[in-house]
Amino acid sequence: MRALRNLFKKNREWANKAIEADPDFFTRLSQEQNPEYLWIGCSDSRVPANEIVDLSPGKLFVHRNIANLVIHTDLNCLSVIQYAVDVLNIKHIIVCGHYGCGGIKAAMDKREHGLIDNWLRNIKDVYRYHQVQIDSLTDKKEKYDLLCELNVLEQVSNVCHTTIVQNAWKSGKKLAVHGWIYRIEDGILKDLNVCITNRDEISRIHRMK
Ligand code: CO
């Protein structure tokens, strides 16, 4: 017996609706994908990438993990970035965090959470880099919001420091890396006003010749 029958039913309805609106939709999609954007976001079920920016299948290449982290040794994330940049020739990489992120919250407390603490440790590092700024705030919620934002900025830097992105810029490819944050309470995206488009904008320490 097939479990989760309701999801298969929903899938049929969704596919039928898409065909009704555009009979060639799936045929066209099956031939190629040509997305302009790579989305690196949080796994949180309330932050669904395509829906937030109202893009249909084929328009957004997506990588999601807890707290939208870009770790230098994460082959999964790096492979996504490489494929997106080198093969799909995407023009924009969007790192999108969100306020109220459970991963950020867990990284701010002192409790043990199991295996995931090894992942969250990267967020604790972000806290440490910006400790003076964060601890200058007294309101707990403000601190939390600020770390959610700073974490996005840090991950934007991590994307830019990869050999993949630096080599793309070196070869003359047009590629912009953006930092955004989403508010679950109202569904609105905020641009954190970072948009890195070339190697001169990254830290000297990470910049390769
Ligand atoms: Co989250």
Coordinates of all heavy atoms in Angstrom, one line a residue, residues 1-71:
M1 N 0.8 -1.2 0.0 CA 0.0 0.0 0.0 C 0.9 1.3 0.0 O 1.9 1.3 0.7 CB -0.9 0.0 1.2 CG -2.0 1.0 1.1 SD -3.1 1.0 2.6 CE -2.7 2.5 3.3
R2 N 0.5 2.2 -0.8 CA 1.3 3.4 -0.9 C 1.0 4.3 0.3 O -0.2 4.7 0.5 CB 1.0 4.1 -2.2 CG 1.7 5.4 -2.4 CD 1.4 6.0 -3.8 NE 2.3 5.3 -4.8 CZ 2.1 5.4 -6.1 NH1 1.1 6.2 -6.5 NH2 2.9 4.8 -6.9
A3 N 2.0 4.7 0.9 CA 1.9 5.6 2.0 C 1.8 7.1 1.5 O 2.1 7.3 0.4 CB 3.0 5.5 3.0
L4 N 1.4 8.0 2.4 CA 1.3 9.4 2.0 C 0.5 9.6 0.7 O 0.9 10.4 -0.1 CB 2.7 10.0 1.9 CG 3.6 9.8 3.1 CD1 5.0 10.3 2.8 CD2 3.0 10.5 4.3
R5 N -0.6 8.9 0.6 CA -1.4 9.0 -0.5 C -1.8 10.5 -0.9 O -1.9 10.8 -2.0 CB -2.7 8.2 -0.3 CG -3.3 7.5 -1.5 CD -4.5 6.8 -1.1 NE -4.3 5.5 -0.4 CZ -4.2 4.4 -1.1 NH1 -4.5 4.3 -2.4 NH2 -3.9 3.3 -0.5
N6 N -2.0 11.2 0.2 CA -2.5 12.6 0.0 C -1.4 13.4 -0.8 O -1.8 14.3 -1.6 CB -2.8 13.3 1.3 CG -1.5 13.3 2.2 OD1 -0.8 12.3 2.2 ND2 -1.4 14.3 3.1
L7 N -0.2 13.1 -0.6 CA 0.9 13.9 -1.4 C 0.9 13.5 -2.8 O 1.1 14.4 -3.7 CB 2.3 13.7 -0.7 CG 2.4 14.2 0.7 CD1 3.9 14.0 1.1 CD2 2.0 15.6 0.8
F8 N 0.6 12.3 -3.2 CA 0.5 11.9 -4.6 C -0.7 12.5 -5.2 O -0.6 12.9 -6.4 CB 0.5 10.3 -4.7 CG 1.9 9.7 -4.5 CD1 2.3 9.4 -3.2 CD2 2.7 9.5 -5.5 CE1 3.5 8.8 -3.0 CE2 4.0 9.0 -5.3 CZ 4.4 8.7 -4.0
K9 N -1.8 12.6 -4.5 CA -3.0 13.2 -5.0 C -2.7 14.7 -5.3 O -3.0 15.2 -6.4 CB -4.1 13.1 -4.0 CG -5.4 13.6 -4.4 CD -6.5 13.1 -3.4 CE -7.8 13.8 -3.7 NZ -7.9 15.2 -3.2
K10 N -2.1 15.3 -4.4 CA -1.7 16.8 -4.5 C -0.8 16.9 -5.7 O -0.9 17.9 -6.5 CB -1.1 17.3 -3.3 CG -2.0 17.7 -2.2 CD -1.3 18.3 -1.0 CE -2.2 19.1 -0.1 NZ -2.8 20.3 -0.7
N11 N 0.1 16.0 -5.9 CA 1.1 16.1 -7.0 C 0.3 16.1 -8.4 O 0.6 16.9 -9.3 CB 2.1 15.0 -6.9 CG 2.9 14.8 -8.2 OD1 2.7 13.8 -9.0 ND2 3.7 15.8 -8.6
R12 N -0.6 15.1 -8.5 CA -1.4 15.0 -9.7 C -2.2 16.3 -10.0 O -2.2 16.8 -11.1 CB -2.4 13.8 -9.6 CG -1.7 12.5 -9.8 CD -1.1 12.4 -11.2 NE -0.3 11.2 -11.3 CZ -0.8 10.1 -11.9 NH1 -2.0 10.1 -12.4 NH2 0.0 9.0 -12.0
E13 N -2.8 16.8 -9.0 CA -3.6 18.0 -9.1 C -2.7 19.2 -9.6 O -3.0 20.0 -10.5 CB -4.2 18.4 -7.8 CG -5.4 17.5 -7.5 CD -5.8 17.6 -6.0 OE1 -5.3 18.4 -5.3 OE2 -6.7 16.8 -5.6
W14 N -1.5 19.2 -9.0 CA -0.5 20.3 -9.3 C -0.1 20.2 -10.8 O -0.1 21.2 -11.5 CB 0.7 20.2 -8.4 CG 1.8 21.1 -8.8 CD1 1.9 22.5 -8.6 CD2 3.0 20.7 -9.4 NE1 3.1 22.9 -9.1 CE2 3.8 21.9 -9.6 CE3 3.5 19.5 -9.9 CZ2 5.0 21.8 -10.2 CZ3 4.7 19.5 -10.5 CH2 5.5 20.6 -10.7
A15 N 0.3 19.0 -11.2 CA 0.8 18.7 -12.5 C -0.4 19.0 -13.6 O -0.1 19.7 -14.6 CB 1.2 17.3 -12.7
N16 N -1.6 18.6 -13.2 CA -2.7 18.9 -14.1 C -2.9 20.4 -14.3 O -3.2 20.9 -15.4 CB -4.0 18.2 -13.6 CG -3.9 16.7 -13.8 OD1 -3.1 16.2 -14.7 ND2 -4.7 16.0 -13.1
K17 N -2.9 21.1 -13.2 CA -3.1 22.5 -13.2 C -2.0 23.2 -14.1 O -2.3 24.1 -14.9 CB -3.0 23.1 -11.8 CG -4.2 24.1 -11.5 CD -4.0 24.8 -10.2 CE -4.2 23.9 -9.0 NZ -3.8 24.6 -7.7
A18 N -0.8 22.8 -13.9 CA 0.3 23.4 -14.7 C 0.1 23.1 -16.2 O 0.3 24.0 -17.0 CB 1.7 22.8 -14.2
I19 N -0.4 21.9 -16.6 CA -0.6 21.6 -18.0 C -1.8 22.4 -18.5 O -1.8 22.8 -19.7 CB -0.8 20.1 -18.2 CG1 0.5 19.3 -17.9 CG2 -1.3 19.7 -19.6 CD1 0.4 17.8 -17.7
E20 N -2.8 22.6 -17.7 CA -3.9 23.3 -18.1 C -3.5 24.8 -18.5 O -4.0 25.3 -19.5 CB -5.0 23.4 -17.0 CG -6.2 22.6 -17.2 CD -7.0 22.5 -15.9 OE1 -7.3 23.6 -15.4 OE2 -7.3 21.4 -15.5
A21 N -2.7 25.3 -17.6 CA -2.2 26.7 -17.9 C -1.3 26.8 -19.0 O -1.2 27.8 -19.7 CB -1.6 27.3 -16.6
D22 N -0.5 25.8 -19.3 CA 0.5 25.8 -20.3 C 0.8 24.3 -20.7 O 1.6 23.6 -20.1 CB 1.8 26.4 -19.7 CG 3.0 26.5 -20.7 OD1 2.8 26.0 -21.8 OD2 4.0 27.0 -20.3
P23 N 0.2 23.9 -21.8 CA 0.3 22.5 -22.2 C 1.7 22.0 -22.5 O 2.0 20.8 -22.3 CB -0.5 22.4 -23.5 CG -1.4 23.6 -23.4 CD -0.7 24.7 -22.7
D24 N 2.6 22.9 -22.8 CA 4.0 22.5 -23.1 C 4.9 22.6 -21.9 O 6.1 22.4 -22.0 CB 4.6 23.3 -24.3 CG 3.8 23.1 -25.5 OD1 3.3 21.9 -25.7 OD2 3.6 24.0 -26.3
F25 N 4.4 23.0 -20.8 CA 5.2 23.3 -19.6 C 6.3 22.2 -19.3 O 7.5 22.5 -19.3 CB 4.3 23.6 -18.4 CG 5.1 24.0 -17.2 CD1 5.7 25.2 -17.1 CD2 5.1 23.2 -16.1 CE1 6.4 25.6 -16.0 CE2 5.8 23.6 -14.9 CZ 6.5 24.8 -14.9
F26 N 5.8 21.0 -19.1 CA 6.8 20.0 -18.7 C 7.7 19.5 -19.8 O 8.8 19.2 -19.6 CB 6.0 18.8 -18.0 CG 5.4 19.2 -16.7 CD1 4.0 19.3 -16.6 CD2 6.2 19.4 -15.6 CE1 3.4 19.6 -15.3 CE2 5.6 19.8 -14.4 CZ 4.3 19.9 -14.2
T27 N 7.1 19.5 -21.0 CA 8.0 19.1 -22.2 C 9.1 20.1 -22.3 O 10.3 19.7 -22.5 CB 7.1 19.2 -23.5 OG1 5.8 18.7 -23.2 CG2 7.8 18.5 -24.6
R28 N 8.8 21.4 -22.2 CA 9.9 22.4 -22.3 C 10.9 22.2 -21.2 O 12.1 22.3 -21.4 CB 9.2 23.8 -22.2 CG 9.9 24.8 -23.1 CD 9.1 26.1 -23.2 NE 8.6 26.6 -22.0 CZ 7.2 26.7 -21.7 NH1 6.4 26.4 -22.6 NH2 6.8 27.1 -20.5
L29 N 10.4 22.1 -19.9 CA 11.3 21.9 -18.8 C 12.2 20.7 -18.9 O 13.3 20.7 -18.5 CB 10.4 21.8 -17.5 CG 10.1 23.0 -16.7 CD1 9.4 22.5 -15.4 CD2 11.3 23.8 -16.3
S30 N 11.6 19.7 -19.5 CA 12.4 18.4 -19.6 C 13.6 18.6 -20.5 O 14.6 17.8 -20.4 CB 11.5 17.3 -20.0 OG 11.2 17.5 -21.4
Q31 N 13.6 19.5 -21.4 CA 14.6 19.7 -22.4 C 15.9 20.4 -21.8 O 17.0 20.0 -22.1 CB 14.1 20.4 -23.6 CG 13.5 19.3 -24.5 CD 12.3 19.9 -25.3 OE1 12.2 21.1 -25.5 NE2 11.4 19.0 -25.8
E32 N 15.7 21.4 -21.0 CA 16.8 22.0 -20.4 C 16.4 22.8 -19.2 O 15.3 23.2 -19.0 CB 17.6 22.9 -21.4 CG 16.7 24.1 -21.9 CD 17.6 25.2 -22.5 OE1 18.8 25.0 -22.6 OE2 17.0 26.2 -23.0
Q33 N 17.4 23.2 -18.3 CA 17.2 24.2 -17.3 C 18.1 25.3 -17.5 O 19.3 25.1 -17.9 CB 17.3 23.6 -15.9 CG 18.7 23.1 -15.5 CD 18.8 22.9 -14.0 OE1 18.2 23.6 -13.2 NE2 19.7 22.0 -13.6
N34 N 17.6 26.5 -17.3 CA 18.4 27.7 -17.6 C 18.1 28.8 -16.5 O 17.7 29.9 -16.9 CB 18.0 28.2 -19.0 CG 19.0 29.1 -19.6 OD1 20.2 29.2 -19.0 ND2 18.7 29.9 -20.6
P35 N 18.4 28.4 -15.3 CA 18.1 29.3 -14.2 C 19.1 30.5 -14.2 O 20.3 30.2 -14.5 CB 18.2 28.5 -13.0 CG 19.1 27.4 -13.3 CD 19.0 27.2 -14.8
E36 N 18.7 31.6 -13.8 CA 19.6 32.8 -13.7 C 20.1 32.9 -12.3 O 21.1 33.7 -12.0 CB 18.8 34.0 -14.0 CG 19.5 34.9 -15.0 CD 18.6 36.1 -15.4 OE1 17.7 35.9 -16.2 OE2 18.9 37.2 -14.8
Y37 N 19.5 32.2 -11.3 CA 19.8 32.5 -9.9 C 20.1 31.2 -9.2 O 19.5 30.1 -9.4 CB 18.6 33.1 -9.2 CG 17.9 34.2 -9.9 CD1 16.8 33.9 -10.7 CD2 18.4 35.5 -9.9 CE1 16.1 34.9 -11.4 CE2 17.8 36.5 -10.7 CZ 16.6 36.2 -11.4 OH 16.0 37.2 -12.1
L38 N 21.1 31.3 -8.3 CA 21.3 30.2 -7.3 C 20.9 30.7 -6.0 O 21.3 31.8 -5.5 CB 22.8 29.8 -7.2 CG 23.2 29.0 -6.0 CD1 22.5 27.7 -5.9 CD2 24.8 28.7 -6.0
W39 N 20.0 30.0 -5.3 CA 19.5 30.4 -4.0 C 20.2 29.5 -2.9 O 20.1 28.3 -3.0 CB 18.0 30.1 -4.0 CG 17.3 30.4 -2.7 CD1 17.2 29.5 -1.6 CD2 16.5 31.5 -2.4 NE1 16.4 30.1 -0.6 CE2 16.0 31.3 -1.1 CE3 16.2 32.7 -3.0 CZ2 15.1 32.2 -0.4 CZ3 15.4 33.6 -2.4 CH2 14.9 33.4 -1.1
I40 N 20.8 30.1 -2.0 CA 21.3 29.3 -0.8 C 20.6 29.8 0.4 O 20.7 30.9 0.9 CB 22.9 29.6 -0.6 CG1 23.6 29.1 -1.9 CG2 23.4 28.8 0.6 CD1 25.1 29.4 -1.9
G41 N 19.7 28.9 0.9 CA 18.8 29.3 1.9 C 18.7 28.3 3.1 O 19.4 27.3 3.1
C42 N 17.9 28.6 4.1 CA 17.7 27.7 5.2 C 16.7 26.6 4.9 O 15.8 26.8 4.1 CB 17.2 28.5 6.4 SG 17.1 27.5 7.9
S43 N 16.9 25.5 5.5 CA 16.0 24.3 5.3 C 14.6 24.6 5.9 O 13.7 23.8 5.6 CB 16.6 23.1 6.0 OG 17.8 22.7 5.4
D44 N 14.5 25.6 6.7 CA 13.2 25.8 7.4 C 12.0 25.7 6.5 O 12.0 26.4 5.4 CB 13.3 27.3 8.0 CG 12.2 27.5 9.0 OD1 11.0 27.3 8.7 OD2 12.5 27.9 10.2
S45 N 11.0 25.0 6.9 CA 9.9 24.7 6.0 C 9.0 26.0 5.7 O 8.2 26.0 4.8 CB 8.9 23.7 6.7 OG 8.4 24.2 7.9
R46 N 9.3 27.0 6.5 CA 8.5 28.2 6.3 C 9.2 29.2 5.3 O 8.7 30.3 5.1 CB 8.3 28.9 7.6 CG 7.5 28.1 8.6 CD 7.7 28.6 10.1 NE 9.1 28.5 10.5 CZ 9.5 29.0 11.7 NH1 8.7 29.6 12.5 NH2 10.8 28.9 12.0
V47 N 10.3 28.8 4.8 CA 11.1 29.6 3.9 C 11.3 28.9 2.5 O 12.4 28.6 2.2 CB 12.4 30.1 4.5 CG1 13.0 31.2 3.8 CG2 12.2 30.5 6.0
P48 N 10.2 28.7 1.8 CA 10.3 27.9 0.5 C 10.9 28.8 -0.6 O 10.2 29.8 -1.0 CB 8.9 27.5 0.3 CG 8.1 28.5 1.0 CD 8.8 29.1 2.1
A49 N 12.0 28.5 -1.1 CA 12.7 29.4 -2.0 C 11.9 29.9 -3.2 O 11.6 31.1 -3.3 CB 14.0 28.7 -2.6
N50 N 11.4 29.0 -4.0 CA 10.7 29.4 -5.2 C 9.4 30.2 -4.9 O 9.2 31.2 -5.6 CB 10.2 28.2 -6.0 CG 11.3 27.5 -6.8 OD1 12.3 27.0 -6.2 ND2 11.2 27.6 -8.1
E51 N 8.8 29.9 -3.9 CA 7.5 30.6 -3.6 C 7.7 32.0 -3.1 O 7.0 32.9 -3.5 CB 6.7 29.8 -2.5 CG 6.0 28.6 -3.2 CD 5.5 27.5 -2.2 OE1 4.4 27.7 -1.6 OE2 6.4 26.6 -1.9
I52 N 8.7 32.2 -2.3 CA 9.0 33.5 -1.8 C 9.2 34.6 -2.9 O 8.7 35.7 -2.8 CB 10.2 33.5 -0.9 CG1 9.9 32.8 0.4 CG2 10.8 34.9 -0.6 CD1 11.1 32.7 1.3
V53 N 9.9 34.1 -3.9 CA 10.2 35.1 -5.0 C 9.3 34.8 -6.2 O 9.5 35.3 -7.3 CB 11.7 35.1 -5.4 CG1 12.5 35.8 -4.4 CG2 12.2 33.6 -5.5
D54 N 8.3 33.9 -6.0 CA 7.3 33.6 -7.0 C 7.9 33.2 -8.4 O 7.5 33.8 -9.4 CB 6.3 34.8 -7.2 CG 5.0 34.4 -7.9 OD1 4.7 33.2 -7.9 OD2 4.3 35.3 -8.4
L55 N 8.8 32.3 -8.3 CA 9.5 31.8 -9.5 C 9.0 30.3 -9.8 O 9.0 29.5 -8.8 CB 11.0 31.8 -9.4 CG 11.6 33.2 -9.5 CD1 13.1 33.2 -9.4 CD2 11.2 33.9 -10.9
S56 N 8.7 30.0 -11.0 CA 8.3 28.7 -11.3 C 9.4 27.7 -11.5 O 10.6 28.2 -11.6 CB 7.4 28.7 -12.6 OG 8.1 29.4 -13.6
P57 N 9.2 26.4 -11.6 CA 10.3 25.4 -11.7 C 11.1 25.8 -13.0 O 10.6 26.3 -14.0 CB 9.5 24.1 -12.0 CG 8.2 24.3 -11.3 CD 7.9 25.8 -11.4
G58 N 12.4 25.6 -12.8 CA 13.3 26.0 -13.9 C 14.0 27.3 -13.8 O 15.0 27.6 -14.5
K59 N 13.5 28.1 -12.8 CA 14.0 29.5 -12.7 C 15.0 29.7 -11.6 O 15.7 30.7 -11.5 CB 12.9 30.5 -12.5 CG 11.8 30.4 -13.5 CD 12.2 31.2 -14.8 CE 11.1 31.3 -15.8 NZ 11.5 31.6 -17.1
L60 N 15.1 28.7 -10.7 CA 15.9 28.9 -9.5 C 16.6 27.6 -9.2 O 16.0 26.6 -9.0 CB 14.9 29.3 -8.3 CG 15.5 29.9 -7.1 CD1 16.1 31.3 -7.4 CD2 14.4 30.1 -6.0
F61 N 18.0 27.7 -9.1 CA 18.8 26.5 -8.6 C 18.9 26.7 -7.1 O 19.2 27.8 -6.7 CB 20.1 26.6 -9.4 CG 20.8 25.2 -9.4 CD1 20.2 24.2 -10.1 CD2 22.0 25.0 -8.8 CE1 20.9 22.9 -10.2 CE2 22.7 23.8 -8.9 CZ 22.1 22.8 -9.6
V62 N 18.7 25.6 -6.4 CA 18.5 25.8 -4.9 C 19.4 24.9 -4.1 O 19.6 23.7 -4.4 CB 17.0 25.5 -4.5 CG1 16.9 25.5 -3.0 CG2 16.1 26.6 -5.2
H63 N 20.0 25.4 -3.1 CA 20.7 24.7 -2.1 C 20.2 25.2 -0.7 O 20.2 26.4 -0.5 CB 22.2 24.8 -2.1 CG 23.0 24.1 -1.1 ND1 23.2 22.8 -1.1 CD2 23.5 24.5 0.1 CE1 23.9 22.4 0.0 NE2 24.0 23.4 0.7
R64 N 19.8 24.2 0.1 CA 19.3 24.6 1.4 C 19.9 23.8 2.5 O 20.1 22.5 2.3 CB 17.8 24.6 1.5 CG 17.1 25.7 0.7 CD 15.6 25.5 0.5 NE 14.9 25.6 1.7 CZ 13.5 25.5 1.8 NH1 12.8 25.1 0.7 NH2 12.9 25.6 2.9
N65 N 20.3 24.4 3.6 CA 20.7 23.6 4.8 C 20.4 24.4 6.0 O 19.8 25.5 5.9 CB 22.2 23.3 4.7 CG 23.1 24.6 4.7 OD1 22.8 25.6 5.4 ND2 24.1 24.6 3.8
I66 N 20.6 23.8 7.2 CA 20.3 24.5 8.4 C 21.1 25.8 8.5 O 22.3 25.8 8.5 CB 20.4 23.6 9.6 CG1 19.4 22.5 9.6 CG2 20.4 24.4 10.9 CD1 19.4 21.5 10.6
A67 N 20.4 26.9 8.6 CA 21.0 28.3 8.8 C 21.8 28.8 7.6 O 22.7 29.6 7.8 CB 21.8 28.4 10.1
N68 N 21.5 28.3 6.4 CA 22.1 28.7 5.2 C 23.6 29.0 5.3 O 24.0 30.1 5.0 CB 21.3 30.0 4.6 CG 20.9 31.0 5.7 OD1 19.8 30.9 6.3 ND2 21.8 31.9 6.0
L69 N 24.3 27.9 5.6 CA 25.7 28.1 5.8 C 26.5 27.7 4.6 O 26.1 26.7 3.9 CB 26.2 27.2 7.0 CG 25.6 27.5 8.4 CD1 26.2 26.6 9.4 CD2 25.8 29.0 8.8
V70 N 27.6 28.3 4.3 CA 28.5 28.0 3.2 C 29.9 27.7 3.9 O 30.6 28.5 4.2 CB 28.6 29.1 2.2 CG1 29.6 28.7 1.1 CG2 27.3 29.4 1.6
I71 N 30.1 26.4 4.0 CA 31.3 25.9 4.8 C 32.3 25.5 3.7 O 32.0 24.8 2.8 CB 30.9 24.7 5.7 CG1 29.7 25.0 6.5 CG2 32.1 24.3 6.6 CD1 29.8 26.1 7.4

